[in-house]
Amino acid sequence: MNIVLATLNAKYIHTNLALRCLKVSAQPEFNPTIAEYTIKDPSFNIVSDIYLKKPKVVGFSCYIWNIEETLKVVRLLKRVSPETIIVLGGPEVSYDSNYWLRRMEEIDFIVMGEGEVSFKQLLHYVEGNVSLQEVPGICYMQDGKFMIHPQGPKIDLREMPSPFRFEEDIPHLSKRITYIETSRGCPFSCQFCLSSIEVGVRYFNREKVKEDIRYLMDHNAKIIKFVDRTFNISRSYAMEMFQFLIDEHRPGVVFQFEITADIMRPEVIQFLNDNAPAGLFRFEIGVQSTNELTNELVKRKQNFAKLTRTVTMVKEGGKIAQHLDLIAGLPEEDYASFKQTFNDVFAMGPEELQLGFLKLLRGTGLRVQAEQYGYVYVDQAPYEIFANNVLTFDDMLRIKQAEDVLEKYWNAHRLDRTVAYLVTETFDTPFDFFQDFGSYWEEKGWSRIGHQLEDLFKRLEEFLMQDGRANMDVVRSLMKIDYLAHHQFQPRKPWWEKEMQKEAQSAIYRKIIKNPQLAGSTFAGLNLHEREVYKQTLLVPFSLDLHQLEQEQVVSKDGYLLTFFKSGQAPQFSFIAKEQVS
């Protein structure tokens, strides 16, 4: 019997762990084929590919980001292959199964929740080995009536076989993100999250997990992301895994975790700061809101002081990058409160700050309470809200404008020095900068057209010029060094207007060639020939003390920035004071 396990990933670099768990659990009696596509792939192409595999059963893994595209594929597939049995599973269809079955008659079965046992039993039913009534955790339509089978006992995860030993995955491990789970469930009850529905936390066999990680590293996996909802809920377990990953780390491998920051003890962080190689770990931390009433209403227990302590200690350690999450639109968090939340979190200086918007997921408490809080939302995945009783649609649009600029200018790390200066020295708060610039960006229509790197600098300069609050001599110097830091070769057409006459520039170059110490001992140590100086350096006016800037201090000083470029290396900056070459 040909069986296909399929999904539409958000991007090519993603992989679907659920399909691999189903495949390995179906063996040895069955050997499904995994077929992964993306939501950008044309439905016809997906259907054609699946059809050519001649499957008796096709199972689709469904999420908010792929459900609508998946349903298009299901409809077309059933039309060209009506005898094929279509099975849906995953978080998006597990909770309102009645709705999905009535919406699309092409769906034959839905597997609810944990699917390894249910899906295999369903395959046995299709083969004629068991009766339909013996299949747990499924639902379907029979003579116009919705039929549902109770779910069976929770799986003993310690006995689960490894989903990572498929030879067909090996060539792709270095190019894609590998997802791994060491536990299932969540101890918390956040009402906006599906993880709150499953009570308790169950663990996989620790030694098997370690063997899987060794196997993945042996086969060149580069990014391994743990999908545990709270990786550090057990301190002893987290410490054991951290120690293992440190002891056996390989150069170039990165491990990502979702952690709950306010329960992480300082001694654990100190251990990581002292022992973890830089870049080995990356933490994702859900803050969501710093409004105490909001957190209480969504049953989210959070000690912000302890969370801040954790994030600060990790940042000061300089070993672990941090990605912090916020959610706009939670109950009783109006525009002013969300602005405060944003500023509270941005003050911690995370490498990335994701500004998300509340989605009323099927099965969550907030979706049930939608009327109570006046939620207006799209009743189609991903179920994002328009407004609620304290946040208007206008407010939401403004926050989206801020989020757009946040992604381009902070999370992308294109202008770190410039933005850090603007949010501390020019605008009243960080949120004011992102909001004001975001609104200007929308007014200019830039959100509807593309951009090159140079455009980002030109548009920021235009905004600041019309805004009038910034010291443009300082800002332009910061923007220059931020821009040049992204290049390994001299940029052919910098974003700024030409500022020096050729004769004046040549005169300074002659002095540098005659006395390289003018640009400092590091530059002099390069021992560049005259031709190399002209070919591999760029000289531009600069208004800041470079030494102070390297200490994260912005101090005005007239002079020139000399940038040396070499392929494969970061550019090297030197400062020449104006009086030295006058």
Side-chain angles (χ1 to χ4, degrees), residues 283-543:
F283 287 167
E284 297 184 16
I285 300 170
V287 183
Q288 319 313 4
S289 174
T290 62
N291 184 310
E292 291 186 6
L293 173 61
T294 294
N295 284 328
E296 182 181 335
L297 291 172
V298 297
K299 299 181 181 180
R300 181 174 179 78
K301 296 178 181 179
Q302 179 169 269
N303 186 317
F304 187 65
K306 289 183 178 180
L307 183 150
T308 302
R309 179 189 66 191
T310 294
V311 173
T312 302
M313 280 189 70
V314 170
K315 185 174 179 65
E316 290 174 349
K319 299 285 191 70
I320 301 170
Q322 298 180 99
H323 170 115
L324 273 56
D325 290 333
L326 302 179
I327 297 179
L330 292 172
E332 302 306 322
E333 176 131 84
D334 60 13
Y335 181 84
S337 172
F338 183 77
K339 175 180 176 179
Q340 184 62 53
T341 283
F342 182 96
N343 289 328
D344 289 341
V345 177
F346 193 87
M348 292 185 275
E351 284 75 17
E352 290 184 18
L353 177 57
Q354 181 173 320
L355 197 171
F357 298 86
L358 180 64
K359 299 169 178 61
L360 295 184
L361 305 180
R362 295 179 183 274
T364 59
L366 273 189
R367 187 173 177 113
V368 176
Q369 296 175 291
E371 188 174 340
Q372 177 183 340
Y373 296 114
Y375 280 115
V376 181
Y377 63 99
V378 185
D379 194 20
Q380 180 175 317
Y383 314 112
E384 190 169 300
I385 70 163
F386 287 134
N388 63 22
N389 58 344
V390 297
L391 202 66
T392 67
F393 188 43
D394 281 336
D395 293 332
M396 290 292 290
L397 290 178
R398 292 179 66 201
I399 295 172
K400 282 183 177 291
Q401 292 163 6
E403 185 265 344
D404 187 25
V405 170
L406 177 74
E407 285 296 318
K408 291 181 173 68
Y409 285 84
W410 181 258
N411 291 341
H413 295 288
R414 292 182 172 110
L415 293 99
D416 286 352
R417 301 174 184 85
T418 307
V419 174
Y421 172 79
L422 291 170
V423 299
T424 55
E425 303 296 331
T426 302
F427 290 81
D428 292 338
T429 73
F431 187 80
D432 288 313
F433 165 69
F434 292 109
Q435 181 65 88
D436 292 355
F437 189 18
S439 296
Y440 185 79
W441 188 283
E442 182 63 30
E443 289 170 10
K444 299 294 289 187
W446 292 334
S447 61
R448 293 179 288 280
I449 58 176
H451 59 267
Q452 303 293 327
L453 180 64
E454 290 77 9
D455 296 323
L456 295 175
F457 286 81
K458 290 178 181 178
R459 291 170 185 177
L460 177 58
E461 182 183 43
E462 179 182 324
F463 162 67
L464 294 173
M465 286 289 291
Q466 68 81 35
D467 179 78
R469 281 177 278 184
N471 180 329
M472 293 307 296
D473 287 338
V474 170
V475 170
R476 284 196 183 97
S477 292
L478 291 170
M479 291 174 69
K480 286 176 185 175
I481 197 169
D482 277 336
Y483 177 77
L484 294 172
H486 291 286
H487 291 78
Q488 292 184 8
F489 304 96
Q490 282 198 49
R492 293 183 179 179
K493 191 177 180 182
W495 60 268
W496 59 85
E497 298 293 331
K498 186 176 180 181
E499 299 172 294
M500 296 181 68
Q501 295 298 320
K502 190 173 182 180
E503 296 77 12
Q505 190 177 60
S506 297
I508 296 173
Y509 265 129
R510 286 195 294 271
K511 292 180 180 180
I512 294 171
I513 293 166
K514 185 176 181 181
N515 181 14
Q517 286 288 345
L518 287 172
S521 58
T522 302
F523 178 80
L526 296 172
N527 296 315
L528 299 178
H529 298 297
E530 179 177 345
R531 183 171 178 273
E532 292 173 315
V533 172
Y534 279 107
K535 187 176 181 180
Q536 291 181 250
T537 70
L538 178 66
L539 184 74
V540 296
F542 200 69
S543 302

Side-chain angles (χ1 to χ4, degrees), residues 55 170 231:
I170 292 175
F231 181 80

Side-chain angles (χ1 to χ4, degrees), residues 37-175:
Y37 310 95
T38 76
I39 55 176
K40 298 292 185 182
D41 293 334
S43 299
F44 184 86
N45 293 4
I46 297 172
V47 171
S48 300
D49 188 65
I50 294 174
Y51 176 82
L52 290 173
K53 301 179 192 302
K54 302 299 180 185
K56 175 69 173 178
V57 177
V58 180
F60 289 94
S61 185
C62 303
Y63 306 84
I64 57 171
W65 63 79
N66 72 7
I67 184 63
E68 294 302 325
E69 289 79 6
T70 299
L71 294 181
K72 293 176 187 175
V73 170
V74 168
R75 187 175 290 110
L76 291 174
L77 181 59
K78 202 69 168 181
R79 184 171 298 176
V80 298
S81 183
E83 300 304 314
T84 298
I85 297 170
I86 305 291
V87 184
L88 268 53
E92 177 54 17
V93 296
S94 286
Y95 301 101
D96 280 351
S97 303
N98 190 1
Y99 164 80
W100 295 112
L101 288 167
R102 293 186 184 280
R103 175 177 168 181
M104 281 197 66
E105 62 181 13
E106 290 88 349
I107 303 169
D108 294 297
F109 297 98
I110 288 178
V111 173
M112 302 174 292
E114 212 166 35
E116 287 90 347
V117 172
S118 298
F119 185 70
K120 185 171 186 175
Q121 279 292 90
L122 185 59
L123 296 179
H124 276 301
Y125 160 72
V126 174
E127 283 274 83
N129 300 328
V130 300
S131 69
L132 185 58
Q133 294 307 312
E134 294 178 75
V135 183
I138 63 168
C139 51
Y140 51 95
M141 299 299 294
Q142 189 175 77
D143 299 326
K145 295 176 66 175
F146 175 69
M147 309 297 291
I148 184 168
H149 294 190
Q151 291 177 292
K154 294 291 185 182
I155 298 170
D156 185 348
L157 301 180
R158 296 168 298 179
E159 302 301 320
M160 282 277 289
S162 170
F164 301 107
R165 307 303 175 100
F166 302 123
E167 288 190 11
E168 61 266 32
D169 282 337
I170 292 175
H172 308 289
L173 288 175
S174 64
K175 309 180 192 72

